[in-house]
Amino acid sequence: MTCSRGVDAYLEQEIASRGLSVLARTRAGIETEGSMKEAMDLNLHLRTGLRVLFRVAEFTAHDPDSLYRNISAIAWEEIIPVAGYFSVTSTVETPSIDNSRYANQKCKDAIADRFMKNFGIRPNSGPERDRVVIHLHWRGDAAAVYIDTSGEPLSKRAYRKLPWKAPLQETLAAALVMATGWHDDRTFINPMCGSGTLAIEAALMGLGRPAAILRENFGFMHLKGYDPEVWAEQRVGAKRLTRNRLGSRIIATDRSNEAIDAARHNARTAGVEHLIEFGTSDFAETEIPEGGGVLLMNPEYGERMGTNGDLEQVYRRIGDFLKRKCRGYRGYVFTGNADLAKKIGLRTRRKLLFFNGPIECRLLEYELYEGSRKDAGG
């Protein structure tokens, strides 16, 4: 399973929760073992993973010709329907070539030539990733070939129809919610909610609803031997374990009417609009119920929108808001700008590393004590 950098610890937790052992972990993924049935289950349930890759072969490849020979030796007729369609993706770090597209083409040629040799006909191929996707990982002389059972990345949940501005990827949003340790027995508050991704992911998580329950297409559905009845049974079983209501409130606000409209629309598509209390207001005017909980903010940080000068005052106000209005909560600010984060002016309890695309970010945790820290036992 692949994931964004910084998310691997949360993906590992998810895989273990599905009853699978973790064989290896890197910054960009987790290795486990199982059948195609387990791969289908992971595609349905994983919140933080991007792709579920199913390994079909490992070999040594010194150059493009040896890559071709090893790829053509795989029994692709047992994997790809003759009348099907496939695409090839790759990650390549080898001195024998300097262009991953060339490696992709060698893979395509090897697969197509095997079909032509044995059947006189071959599947179509191209760049689209909505059917069978073959992935090559080639580093040095070591090569591995996988079926990308997800096809399109799992971040595409099928609920975010209106993205608004600079939206968080759904898988990253889920990891951030998990990192806060929130459970649905405590209030979850999301000021500056934008298109609502954090609040929606929290609601789905609180219900135990599978992350990909709305998706209608996965790579595994186009493989030879795919059994739709097995998939239907997995979906029915997952729905049976899903709760209908939360044990606490989820509050999401934004000063933009357009953002709230987009967030409501996305939440409605996800089937959780009735569980999220949306409101149009400045973040500082967000309702903070008594009893404590988790407050998670994702303010602009100058990489895509706004300027640092305009945002410095916003970050100062965030610090004042947390200190004055959010006592008894655990406060979290997700930002990719360390200089702006200093303007919050509060001591952080933890700083967790994540990557929002190529941007190095931190999830900053603030413990907002009721009364003085001494009174709270700190």
Side-chain angles (χ1 to χ4, degrees):
M1 273 65 63
T2 67
C3 62
S4 300
R5 287 183 293 171
V7 174
D8 49 290
Y10 309 100
L11 178 57
E12 180 177 2
Q13 292 174 22
E14 288 198 274
I15 291 171
S17 74
R18 304 308 304 164
L20 298 174
S21 59
V22 174
L23 303 181
R25 171 178 155 187
T26 69
R27 290 190 304 167
I30 302 292
E31 182 177 343
T32 186
E33 61 181 352
S35 66
M36 185 58 68
K37 185 176 181 179
E38 276 79 37
M40 293 162 63
D41 178 84
L42 291 171
N43 273 290
L44 179 61
H45 288 278
L46 288 182
R47 303 184 189 281
T48 61
L50 287 173
R51 299 181 183 280
V52 180
L53 303 179
F54 192 92
R55 189 167 60 217
V56 295
E58 289 183 290
F59 49 83
T60 299
H62 302 289
D63 53 38
D65 288 338
S66 60
L67 175 70
Y68 175 94
R69 287 194 299 272
N70 281 284
I71 295 290
S72 61
I74 298 171
W76 293 108
E77 63 275 11
E78 298 177 5
I79 298 171
I80 307 171
V82 174
Y85 174 100
F86 72 95
S87 62
V88 177
T89 62
S90 65
T91 53
V92 177
E93 297 178 32
T94 179
S96 61
I97 64 169
D98 58 6
N99 188 333
S100 62
R101 285 182 294 181
Y102 181 58
N104 292 359
Q105 189 60 52
K106 293 296 285 186
C107 288
K108 286 182 181 180
D109 290 345
I111 295 170
D113 290 350
R114 180 183 176 96
F115 272 96
M116 289 300 296
K117 179 181 178 180
N118 293 332
F119 304 101
I121 189 174
R122 49 154 291 185
N124 290 322
S125 62
E128 289 79 13
R129 302 182 186 180
D130 58 349
R131 280 156 283 183
V132 178
V133 180
I134 307 301
H135 181 73
L136 167 69
H137 186 272
W138 189 11
R139 175 173 293 178
D141 289 342
V145 179
Y146 301 85
I147 301 167
D148 183 346
T149 66
S150 305
E152 295 286 350
L154 294 177
S155 56
K156 295 187 177 182
R157 308 273 209 248
Y159 68 72
R160 192 163 66 187
K161 305 299 184 182
L162 300 177
W164 190 234
K165 298 177 182 178
L168 278 178
Q169 192 177 64
E170 290 88 335
T171 48
L172 175 57
L176 294 177
V177 176
M178 290 176 67
T180 69
W182 176 76
H183 296 284
D184 82 320
D185 59 345
R186 306 296 298 279
T187 302
F188 182 89
I189 304 177
N190 178 212
M192 296 180 164
C193 70
S195 59
T197 309
L198 286 165
I200 292 169
E201 290 295 324
L204 294 172
M205 199 175 299
L207 293 174
R209 183 175 298 173
I213 196 68
L214 296 178
R215 276 190 46 161
E216 297 180 351
N217 186 49
F218 295 86
F220 62 77
M221 293 177 169
H222 305 276
L223 299 173
K224 197 167 183 179
Y226 164 65
D227 187 346
E229 291 186 4
V230 173
W231 176 240
E233 289 172 3
Q234 289 181 330
R235 284 175 52 87
V236 169
K239 288 180 178 180
R240 191 178 296 122
L241 297 176
T242 299
R243 290 183 289 163
N244 295 320
R245 62 182 64 187
L246 297 173
S248 64
R249 299 171 66 184
I250 295 179
I251 299 171
T253 64
D254 199 283
R255 67 180 182 178
S256 166
N257 285 316
E258 290 84 357
I260 291 298
D261 287 344
R264 286 186 185 277
H265 181 87
N266 294 334
R268 188 178 310 123
T269 304
V272 295
E273 182 187 13
H274 63 294
L275 302 173
I276 303 172
E277 301 172 34
F278 289 106
T280 303
S281 72
D282 182 81
F283 70 85
E285 302 303 318
T286 301
E287 178 191 0
I288 310 297
E290 295 183 357
V294 166
L295 183 142
L296 176 55
M297 303 178 72
N298 175 34
E300 300 170 18
Y301 43 83
E303 290 288 345
R304 304 180 192 174
M305 302 184 298
T307 65
N308 288 6
D310 296 335
L311 292 173
E312 285 184 3
Q313 184 59 29
V314 172
Y315 277 71
R316 291 191 184 97
R317 292 181 60 227
I318 288 173
D320 187 64
F321 166 65
L322 293 174
K323 180 173 62 176
R324 295 181 181 277
K325 288 195 64 177
C326 304
R327 293 175 182 173
Y329 278 72
R330 290 198 313 276
Y332 295 85
V333 177
F334 181 67
T335 181
N337 193 315
D339 291 332
L340 286 174
K342 295 175 183 176
K343 305 300 180 182
I344 294 174
L346 300 177
R347 179 177 295 180
T348 55
R349 182 174 179 269
R350 289 190 301 165
K351 298 179 181 179
L352 302 177
L353 175 66
F354 291 91
F355 283 82
N356 188 3
I359 304 169
E360 184 175 306
C361 300
R362 295 291 188 280
L363 180 64
L364 309 174
E365 179 181 323
Y366 304 93
E367 194 154 6
L368 309 168
Y369 296 96
E370 289 277 13
S372 69
R373 180 169 183 170
K374 182 177 181 181
D375 293 339

